[in-house]
């Protein structure tokens, strides 16, 4: 075979032709189907009407849960609960979301779900405002938006299912901390992202309580660190806190990712058993640390029940049983009857405490 | 540039033209298959979302293409977006009008880019090290500015325009300015002496400097432009998500570099086309959009993106190696001298080329 030196000037034209073809194809594809909100959803009563407390839960509703990020055991537990209720209501269910806890990546998922004409979106928001316009579009297309765990601005959703009363969380966390350090010393907070709505509200409430409550006069909050709900960063931030504040008596981590990473650091360092760690964690991830004494007691609501309540609330709105106005009531199966509070907030109940005595009774 | 190169203004290296066309075809194929296979992908509404999603990546990829072709890299672009976004929030909270804030944000981006440019050219530091440094520095400054707050009450007129469409149709308002920038960058890279200088310095900056190319100055201005575009993206990002946050666009620099490499730009510099990069951006973002609509999990998305990138680097090299093998047997062994010849060099042709004894 003789070596031919091939000259391919037509290549450039090939590229340009291909691109032109691509643009043409895309335009053709886009011209094909236009679904601008003309979805056939006769099984859903129109939203915004008055509530009918005696209505039945509609069946065949499509639900989607959109957590702050996937691969988070807390949200997986919520998803289990929601999935079970959706199954009982004969609906369809999916669990979808970004792998990083950022507002911008969640927005693409909100758009995808509203395009797919999902009836009910159960959302835990990474940012109170970034999703608003997308949620408005979704609601214009008859999608019911229920936030749970972390809220958006009230006008951008139908109802918010709060895991707990914010004051109760900060109160419980401070009680636990004070008990474990004998009511005096320096404490620090290891939070999630710097913009996490709920974490920031709890930290503010804790600061206010520390300043006002004479029982906590000898406790000083010296630092707030952010582990961004990333295991490795939370681990490093814990290390940083302990190095920067040698007199630290306790770390409070109001996030399940943070408390587990902090416990792992404490377990492997000389601070284990010396510095108290409490906060919000799941029994499954904290079991070994409670067993070996790294952690004495921590708190959380049951995320599975939170998911169940969110699913019920979404079904109630989509079925016209409630609209999200204050004072409306609905029955959430075995969870009992709930009343909508101000700003469309539905509260699950007080947090549960977990310690060596009761931790083995829980599996989430 | 030599007179010889000047007479061949638009000649692409042959091998690259091949990869270029391949990426474009792959993109077209992806769009076609996704439109057919994924419900909702081919709708006008999805086209709107897709364009709004890819806008930041596409905009940042334009100056990134020029910088990578010139043999450098800028990893600080996403942090620059975050810092300008934080600055916008700070100024807006301080009661400034957006008409003043927007040009200021772009200017701030340019200044941040100039700082990169100074360190790379004036001090001669490696751009990888410099921009990894400023990646952290600018992100840190964004957190210093805004901390854990988010500024969100931007003027509705602006936020609505950013996500709005031309005449209420499906083509977003941001398309004309973006297209204008794409054409501008394509012309600069492929049809001006500046573009040819960029290719030349990417192939061999010592040779380019001897040939009279203002290497340092060009690189400095590339970083300034990169920063200014990042500032513009900071404005877009802030208004699109109607929230100014210190963590805006975190991690986006890697998506941008991935799209640029996927588009056939050589990480060693000296090779690449803007057409390929545009195709690379569209391919990456539309694939993610389609998989999301097809309910593929987020983890699978990252796997697909990574695989695609490895293939994009592997395939052209594999093809080149296969092509080079028979030729190596046929040609007398020549000392391979470093990187590939600059793109402006004429390809080996059967007819004798002029030899006037001058070597660049």
């Amino acid at each position: 075979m003789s070596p031919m030196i091939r000259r391919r000037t037509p290549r450039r034209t090939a590229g340009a032709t291909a691109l032109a073809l691509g643009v043409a194809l895309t335009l053709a594809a886009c011209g094909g189907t236009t679904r601008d909100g003309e979805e056939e959803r006769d099984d859903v009563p129109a939203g915004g009407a008055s509530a009918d407390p005696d209505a039945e839960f509609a069946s065949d509703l499509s639900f989607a849960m959109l957590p702050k990020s996937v691969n988070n055991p807390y949200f997986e537990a919520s998803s289990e609960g929601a999935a079970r209720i959706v199954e009982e209501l004969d609906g369809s269910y999916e669990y979808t979301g970004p792998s990083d806890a950022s507002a911008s990546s969640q927005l693409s998922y909100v758009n995808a779900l509203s395009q797919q004409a999902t009836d009910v979106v159960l959302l835990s928001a990474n940012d109170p405002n970034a999703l608003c316009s997308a949620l408005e579009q979704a609601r214009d297309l008859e999608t019911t938006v229920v936030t749970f765990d972390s809220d958006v601005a009230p006008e951008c959703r139908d109802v918010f299912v709060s895991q707990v009363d914010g004051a109760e969380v900060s109160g419980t966390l401070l009680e636990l901390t004070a008990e474990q350090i004998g009511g005096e010393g320096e404490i620090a907070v290891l939070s999630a992202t710097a913009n996490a709505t709920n974490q920031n509200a709890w930290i503010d409430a804790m600061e206010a309580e520390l300043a006002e409550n004479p029982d906590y006069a000898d406790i000083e909050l010296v630092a707030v660190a952010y582990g961004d709900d990333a295991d490795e960063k939370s681990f490093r931030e814990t290390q940083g806190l302990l190095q920067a504040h040698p007199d630290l008596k306790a770390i409070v981590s109001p996030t399940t990712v943070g408390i587990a990473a902090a416990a792992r650091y404490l377990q492997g360092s000389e601070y284990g058993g010396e510095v108290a760690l409490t906060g919000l964690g799941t029994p499954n991830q904290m079991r070994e640390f409670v067993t070996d004494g790294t952690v004495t007691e921590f708190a959380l609501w049951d995320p599975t029940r939170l998911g169940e309540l969110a699913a019920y609330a979404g079904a109630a709105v989509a079925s016209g049983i409630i609209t999200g106005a204050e004072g409306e009531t609905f029955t959430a199966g075995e969870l009992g009857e709930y009343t909508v509070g101000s700003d469309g907030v539905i509260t699950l109940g007080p947090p549960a405490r977990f310690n060596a005595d009761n931790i083995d009774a829980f599996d989430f | 540039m030599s007179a010889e190169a000047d007479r061949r203004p638009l000649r692409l290296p042959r091998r690259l033209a091949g990869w270029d066309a391949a990426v474009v075809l792959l993109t077209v194929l992806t769009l076609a298959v996704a439109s057919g296979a994924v419900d909702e992908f081919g709708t006008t509404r999805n086209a709107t979302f897709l364009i709004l999603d890819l806008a930041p990546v596409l905009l940042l990829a334009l100056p990134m293409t020029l910088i990578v072709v010139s043999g450098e890299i800028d990893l600080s672009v996403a942090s620059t977006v975050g810092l300008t976004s934080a600055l916008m929030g700070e100024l807006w909270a301080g009661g400034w009008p957006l008409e003043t804030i927007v040009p200021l944000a772009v200017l701030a981006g340019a200044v941040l880019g100039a700082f990169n440019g100074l360190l790379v050219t004036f001090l001669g530091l490696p751009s990888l090290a410099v921009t990894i440094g400023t990646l952290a520095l600018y992100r840190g400054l964004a957190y210093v500015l805004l901390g854990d707050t988010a500024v969100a009450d931007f003027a509705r007129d602006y936020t609505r325009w950013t996500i709005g469409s031309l005449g209420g149709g499906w083509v977003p308002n941001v398309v004309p300015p973006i297209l204008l920038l794409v054409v501008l960058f394509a012309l600069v890279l492929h049809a001006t002496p500046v573009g040819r200088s960029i290719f030349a310095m990417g192939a061999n900056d010592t040779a380019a400097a001897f040939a009279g190319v203002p290497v340092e100055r060009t690189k400095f201005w590339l970083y300034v432009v990169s920063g200014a575009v990042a500032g513009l993206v900071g404005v877009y990002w802030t208004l699109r998500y109607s929230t100014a946050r210190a963590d805006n666009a975190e991690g986006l620099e890697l998506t941008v570099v991935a799209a640029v490499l996927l588009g056939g730009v050589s990480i060693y510099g000296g090779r690449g086309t803007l057409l390929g990069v545009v195709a690379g951006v569209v391919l990456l973002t539309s694939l993610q959009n389609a998989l999301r609509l097809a309910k593929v999990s987020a983890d699978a998305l990252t796997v697909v993106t990574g695989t695609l990138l490895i293939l994009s680097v592997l395939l052209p090299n594999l093809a080149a190696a296969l092509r080079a093998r028979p030729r190596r047997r046929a040609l007398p062994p020549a000392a391979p001298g470093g990187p590939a010849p600059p793109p402006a060099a004429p390809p080996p042709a059967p007819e004798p080329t002029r030899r006037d004894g001058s070597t660049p």
Side-chain angles (χ1 to χ4, degrees), chain B residues 204-217:
Chain B
N204 185 338
D205 54 7
T206 318
F210 276 123
V213 173
V215 173
E216 305 289 286
R217 203 176 63 201

mmCIF file with all atom_site columns, all heavy atoms in Angstrom, chain B residues 204-217:
data_model
loop_
_atom_site.group_PDB
_atom_site.id
_atom_site.type_symbol
_atom_site.label_atom_id
_atom_site.label_alt_id
_atom_site.label_comp_id
_atom_site.label_asym_id
_atom_site.label_entity_id
_atom_site.label_seq_id
_atom_site.pdbx_PDB_ins_code
_atom_site.Cartn_x
_atom_site.Cartn_y
_atom_site.Cartn_z
_atom_site.occupancy
_atom_site.B_iso_or_equiv
_atom_site.pdbx_formal_charge
_atom_site.auth_seq_id
_atom_site.auth_comp_id
_atom_site.auth_asym_id
_atom_site.auth_atom_id
_atom_site.pdbx_PDB_model_num
ATOM 1  N N   . ASN B 1 204 ? 3.842  27.072 20.176 1.00 0.00 ? 204 ASN B N   1
ATOM 2  C CA  . ASN B 1 204 ? 5.203  27.244 20.665 1.00 0.00 ? 204 ASN B CA  1
ATOM 3  C C   . ASN B 1 204 ? 5.407  28.725 20.966 1.00 0.00 ? 204 ASN B C   1
ATOM 4  O O   . ASN B 1 204 ? 5.656  29.512 20.063 1.00 0.00 ? 204 ASN B O   1
ATOM 5  C CB  . ASN B 1 204 ? 6.195  26.777 19.589 1.00 0.00 ? 204 ASN B CB  1
ATOM 6  C CG  . ASN B 1 204 ? 7.620  26.830 20.109 1.00 0.00 ? 204 ASN B CG  1
ATOM 7  O OD1 . ASN B 1 204 ? 7.915  27.560 21.058 1.00 0.00 ? 204 ASN B OD1 1
ATOM 8  N ND2 . ASN B 1 204 ? 8.499  26.054 19.501 1.00 0.00 ? 204 ASN B ND2 1
ATOM 9  N N   . ASP B 1 205 ? 5.308  29.113 22.231 1.00 0.00 ? 205 ASP B N   1
ATOM 10 C CA  . ASP B 1 205 ? 5.310  30.553 22.482 1.00 0.00 ? 205 ASP B CA  1
ATOM 11 C C   . ASP B 1 205 ? 6.680  31.191 22.304 1.00 0.00 ? 205 ASP B C   1
ATOM 12 O O   . ASP B 1 205 ? 6.779  32.364 22.004 1.00 0.00 ? 205 ASP B O   1
ATOM 13 C CB  . ASP B 1 205 ? 4.661  30.923 23.826 1.00 0.00 ? 205 ASP B CB  1
ATOM 14 C CG  . ASP B 1 205 ? 5.268  30.185 24.996 1.00 0.00 ? 205 ASP B CG  1
ATOM 15 O OD1 . ASP B 1 205 ? 6.276  29.484 24.772 1.00 0.00 ? 205 ASP B OD1 1
ATOM 16 O OD2 . ASP B 1 205 ? 4.740  30.312 26.102 1.00 0.00 ? 205 ASP B OD2 1
ATOM 17 N N   . THR B 1 206 ? 7.726  30.395 22.450 1.00 0.00 ? 206 THR B N   1
ATOM 18 C CA  . THR B 1 206 ? 9.056  30.955 22.203 1.00 0.00 ? 206 THR B CA  1
ATOM 19 C C   . THR B 1 206 ? 9.198  31.325 20.734 1.00 0.00 ? 206 THR B C   1
ATOM 20 O O   . THR B 1 206 ? 9.615  32.431 20.380 1.00 0.00 ? 206 THR B O   1
ATOM 21 C CB  . THR B 1 206 ? 10.142 29.930 22.570 1.00 0.00 ? 206 THR B CB  1
ATOM 22 O OG1 . THR B 1 206 ? 9.761  29.310 23.798 1.00 0.00 ? 206 THR B OG1 1
ATOM 23 C CG2 . THR B 1 206 ? 11.484 30.589 22.717 1.00 0.00 ? 206 THR B CG2 1
ATOM 24 N N   . ALA B 1 207 ? 8.815  30.393 19.883 1.00 0.00 ? 207 ALA B N   1
ATOM 25 C CA  . ALA B 1 207 ? 8.880  30.651 18.444 1.00 0.00 ? 207 ALA B CA  1
ATOM 26 C C   . ALA B 1 207 ? 7.983  31.826 18.078 1.00 0.00 ? 207 ALA B C   1
ATOM 27 O O   . ALA B 1 207 ? 8.370  32.697 17.294 1.00 0.00 ? 207 ALA B O   1
ATOM 28 C CB  . ALA B 1 207 ? 8.448  29.403 17.673 1.00 0.00 ? 207 ALA B CB  1
ATOM 29 N N   . ALA B 1 208 ? 6.798  31.858 18.681 1.00 0.00 ? 208 ALA B N   1
ATOM 30 C CA  . ALA B 1 208 ? 5.864  32.938 18.370 1.00 0.00 ? 208 ALA B CA  1
ATOM 31 C C   . ALA B 1 208 ? 6.460  34.280 18.772 1.00 0.00 ? 208 ALA B C   1
ATOM 32 O O   . ALA B 1 208 ? 6.344  35.270 18.040 1.00 0.00 ? 208 ALA B O   1
ATOM 33 C CB  . ALA B 1 208 ? 4.540  32.706 19.090 1.00 0.00 ? 208 ALA B CB  1
ATOM 34 N N   . ALA B 1 209 ? 7.111  34.312 19.941 1.00 0.00 ? 209 ALA B N   1
ATOM 35 C CA  . ALA B 1 209 ? 7.714  35.563 20.401 1.00 0.00 ? 209 ALA B CA  1
ATOM 36 C C   . ALA B 1 209 ? 8.806  36.016 19.440 1.00 0.00 ? 209 ALA B C   1
ATOM 37 O O   . ALA B 1 209 ? 8.904  37.194 19.116 1.00 0.00 ? 209 ALA B O   1
ATOM 38 C CB  . ALA B 1 209 ? 8.276  35.382 21.811 1.00 0.00 ? 209 ALA B CB  1
ATOM 39 N N   . PHE B 1 210 ? 9.612  35.049 18.960 1.00 0.00 ? 210 PHE B N   1
ATOM 40 C CA  . PHE B 1 210 ? 10.655 35.405 18.007 1.00 0.00 ? 210 PHE B CA  1
ATOM 41 C C   . PHE B 1 210 ? 10.067 35.912 16.699 1.00 0.00 ? 210 PHE B C   1
ATOM 42 O O   . PHE B 1 210 ? 10.655 36.740 16.019 1.00 0.00 ? 210 PHE B O   1
ATOM 43 C CB  . PHE B 1 210 ? 11.560 34.191 17.717 1.00 0.00 ? 210 PHE B CB  1
ATOM 44 C CG  . PHE B 1 210 ? 12.638 34.044 18.741 1.00 0.00 ? 210 PHE B CG  1
ATOM 45 C CD1 . PHE B 1 210 ? 12.773 32.880 19.477 1.00 0.00 ? 210 PHE B CD1 1
ATOM 46 C CD2 . PHE B 1 210 ? 13.525 35.100 18.978 1.00 0.00 ? 210 PHE B CD2 1
ATOM 47 C CE1 . PHE B 1 210 ? 13.758 32.761 20.443 1.00 0.00 ? 210 PHE B CE1 1
ATOM 48 C CE2 . PHE B 1 210 ? 14.515 34.976 19.932 1.00 0.00 ? 210 PHE B CE2 1
ATOM 49 C CZ  . PHE B 1 210 ? 14.642 33.807 20.662 1.00 0.00 ? 210 PHE B CZ  1
ATOM 50 N N   . ALA B 1 211 ? 8.902  35.385 16.372 1.00 0.00 ? 211 ALA B N   1
ATOM 51 C CA  . ALA B 1 211 ? 8.257  35.809 15.130 1.00 0.00 ? 211 ALA B CA  1
ATOM 52 C C   . ALA B 1 211 ? 7.540  37.143 15.306 1.00 0.00 ? 211 ALA B C   1
ATOM 53 O O   . ALA B 1 211 ? 6.848  37.607 14.409 1.00 0.00 ? 211 ALA B O   1
ATOM 54 C CB  . ALA B 1 211 ? 7.273  34.738 14.668 1.00 0.00 ? 211 ALA B CB  1
ATOM 55 N N   . GLY B 1 212 ? 7.641  37.744 16.470 1.00 0.00 ? 212 GLY B N   1
ATOM 56 C CA  . GLY B 1 212 ? 7.083  39.074 16.656 1.00 0.00 ? 212 GLY B CA  1
ATOM 57 C C   . GLY B 1 212 ? 5.681  39.102 17.229 1.00 0.00 ? 212 GLY B C   1
ATOM 58 O O   . GLY B 1 212 ? 5.035  40.137 17.231 1.00 0.00 ? 212 GLY B O   1
ATOM 59 N N   . VAL B 1 213 ? 5.206  37.966 17.728 1.00 0.00 ? 213 VAL B N   1
ATOM 60 C CA  . VAL B 1 213 ? 3.878  37.947 18.354 1.00 0.00 ? 213 VAL B CA  1
ATOM 61 C C   . VAL B 1 213 ? 3.993  38.512 19.771 1.00 0.00 ? 213 VAL B C   1
ATOM 62 O O   . VAL B 1 213 ? 4.863  38.077 20.524 1.00 0.00 ? 213 VAL B O   1
ATOM 63 C CB  . VAL B 1 213 ? 3.320  36.503 18.411 1.00 0.00 ? 213 VAL B CB  1
ATOM 64 C CG1 . VAL B 1 213 ? 2.030  36.463 19.223 1.00 0.00 ? 213 VAL B CG1 1
ATOM 65 C CG2 . VAL B 1 213 ? 3.088  35.977 17.013 1.00 0.00 ? 213 VAL B CG2 1
ATOM 66 N N   . PRO B 1 214 ? 3.141  39.477 20.121 1.00 0.00 ? 214 PRO B N   1
ATOM 67 C CA  . PRO B 1 214 ? 3.192  40.014 21.490 1.00 0.00 ? 214 PRO B CA  1
ATOM 68 C C   . PRO B 1 214 ? 2.575  39.034 22.471 1.00 0.00 ? 214 PRO B C   1
ATOM 69 O O   . PRO B 1 214 ? 1.442  39.221 22.936 1.00 0.00 ? 214 PRO B O   1
ATOM 70 C CB  . PRO B 1 214 ? 2.375  41.301 21.394 1.00 0.00 ? 214 PRO B CB  1
ATOM 71 C CG  . PRO B 1 214 ? 1.426  41.081 20.264 1.00 0.00 ? 214 PRO B CG  1
ATOM 72 C CD  . PRO B 1 214 ? 2.090  40.123 19.318 1.00 0.00 ? 214 PRO B CD  1
ATOM 73 N N   . VAL B 1 215 ? 3.303  37.976 22.810 1.00 0.00 ? 215 VAL B N   1
ATOM 74 C CA  . VAL B 1 215 ? 2.757  36.862 23.585 1.00 0.00 ? 215 VAL B CA  1
ATOM 75 C C   . VAL B 1 215 ? 2.206  37.315 24.932 1.00 0.00 ? 215 VAL B C   1
ATOM 76 O O   . VAL B 1 215 ? 1.048  37.072 25.259 1.00 0.00 ? 215 VAL B O   1
ATOM 77 C CB  . VAL B 1 215 ? 3.838  35.777 23.796 1.00 0.00 ? 215 VAL B CB  1
ATOM 78 C CG1 . VAL B 1 215 ? 3.334  34.697 24.739 1.00 0.00 ? 215 VAL B CG1 1
ATOM 79 C CG2 . VAL B 1 215 ? 4.238  35.176 22.463 1.00 0.00 ? 215 VAL B CG2 1
ATOM 80 N N   . GLU B 1 216 ? 3.051  38.023 25.700 1.00 0.00 ? 216 GLU B N   1
ATOM 81 C CA  . GLU B 1 216 ? 2.645  38.407 27.055 1.00 0.00 ? 216 GLU B CA  1
ATOM 82 C C   . GLU B 1 216 ? 1.407  39.292 27.036 1.00 0.00 ? 216 GLU B C   1
ATOM 83 O O   . GLU B 1 216 ? 0.456  39.092 27.776 1.00 0.00 ? 216 GLU B O   1
ATOM 84 C CB  . GLU B 1 216 ? 3.785  39.156 27.756 1.00 0.00 ? 216 GLU B CB  1
ATOM 85 C CG  . GLU B 1 216 ? 5.083  38.388 27.778 1.00 0.00 ? 216 GLU B CG  1
ATOM 86 C CD  . GLU B 1 216 ? 5.036  37.197 28.711 1.00 0.00 ? 216 GLU B CD  1
ATOM 87 O OE1 . GLU B 1 216 ? 5.085  37.426 29.928 1.00 0.00 ? 216 GLU B OE1 1
ATOM 88 O OE2 . GLU B 1 216 ? 4.932  36.048 28.226 1.00 0.00 ? 216 GLU B OE2 1
ATOM 89 N N   . ARG B 1 217 ? 1.451  40.303 26.143 1.00 0.00 ? 217 ARG B N   1
ATOM 90 C CA  . ARG B 1 217 ? 0.353  41.253 26.107 1.00 0.00 ? 217 ARG B CA  1
ATOM 91 C C   . ARG B 1 217 ? -0.961 40.562 25.725 1.00 0.00 ? 217 ARG B C   1
ATOM 92 O O   . ARG B 1 217 ? -2.017 40.801 26.317 1.00 0.00 ? 217 ARG B O   1
ATOM 93 C CB  . ARG B 1 217 ? 0.670  42.369 25.111 1.00 0.00 ? 217 ARG B CB  1
ATOM 94 C CG  . ARG B 1 217 ? -0.101 43.646 25.387 1.00 0.00 ? 217 ARG B CG  1
ATOM 95 C CD  . ARG B 1 217 ? 0.308  44.746 24.443 1.00 0.00 ? 217 ARG B CD  1
ATOM 96 N NE  . ARG B 1 217 ? -0.012 44.373 23.062 1.00 0.00 ? 217 ARG B NE  1
ATOM 97 C CZ  . ARG B 1 217 ? 0.573  44.924 21.998 1.00 0.00 ? 217 ARG B CZ  1
ATOM 98 N NH1 . ARG B 1 217 ? 1.538  45.798 22.165 1.00 0.00 ? 217 ARG B NH1 1
ATOM 99 N NH2 . ARG B 1 217 ? 0.211  44.579 20.775 1.00 0.00 ? 217 ARG B NH2 1
#
